[in-house]
């Protein structure tokens, strides 16, 4: 549907893309939340996806205990969509 050819698609796996995380912690948490939602879009989560998203959380400078709690808590919600307020609550709890 995006009309991306195979050649362009394959190049995505070999090209280095510079990433600078957002400066504010709130924006980094928001980005992490978006990635969790994206991960759950197919309703299946593999171990490699979990490891990858944990690594991204670390690279974003987020508390690993909080990211682990988010990944556990998502299973308690329909379609694994953790509400933003619950996500923020988990991160706030880790900083108290």
């Amino acid at each position: 549907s995006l009309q991306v050819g195979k050649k362009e698609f394959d190049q995505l796996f070999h090209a280095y893309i510079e990433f600078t995380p957002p400066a504010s912690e709130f924006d980094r948490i928001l980005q992490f939340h978006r990635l969790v939602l994206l991960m759950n879009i197919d309703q299946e989560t593999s171990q490699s996806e979990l490891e990858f998203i944990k690594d991204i959380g670390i690279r974003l400078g987020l508390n690993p205990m909080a990211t682990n709690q988010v990944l556990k808590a998502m299973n308690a919600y329909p379609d694994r969509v953790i509400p933003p307020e619950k996500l923020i609550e988990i991160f706030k709890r880790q900083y108290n």
Side-chain angles (χ1 to χ4, degrees):
S1 69
L2 296 175
Q3 299 178 355
V4 176
K6 179 164 176 39
K7 182 179 177 182
E8 293 87 310
F9 180 76
D10 288 342
Q11 286 177 349
L12 293 174
F13 295 97
H14 302 290
Y16 176 77
I17 299 171
E18 177 110 16
F19 173 72
T20 304
S24 84
E25 185 173 23
F26 178 79
D27 288 337
R28 293 191 311 264
I29 292 170
L30 179 62
Q31 187 66 36
F32 180 76
H33 188 227
R34 289 176 181 152
L35 292 170
V36 169
L37 294 174
L38 182 63
M39 178 182 70
N40 288 322
I41 201 125
D42 63 356
Q43 299 294 312
E44 296 177 18
T45 306
S46 69
Q47 188 60 37
S48 63
E49 286 177 312
L50 287 172
E51 290 172 16
F52 184 71
I53 201 136
K54 287 178 185 181
D55 184 53
I56 289 175
I58 290 169
R59 290 172 186 247
L60 286 169
L62 300 176
N63 182 310
M65 290 176 57
T67 58
N68 286 335
Q69 286 182 355
V70 167
L71 295 173
K72 279 184 183 178
M74 72 182 185
N75 295 314
Y77 294 93
D79 298 328
R80 296 182 175 171
V81 176
I82 186 166
E85 56 276 355
K86 179 65 176 173
L87 181 109
I88 298 297
E89 178 185 315
I90 289 171
F91 278 96
K92 280 184 178 179
R93 198 177 323 134
Q94 288 303 318
Y95 293 106
N96 287 337

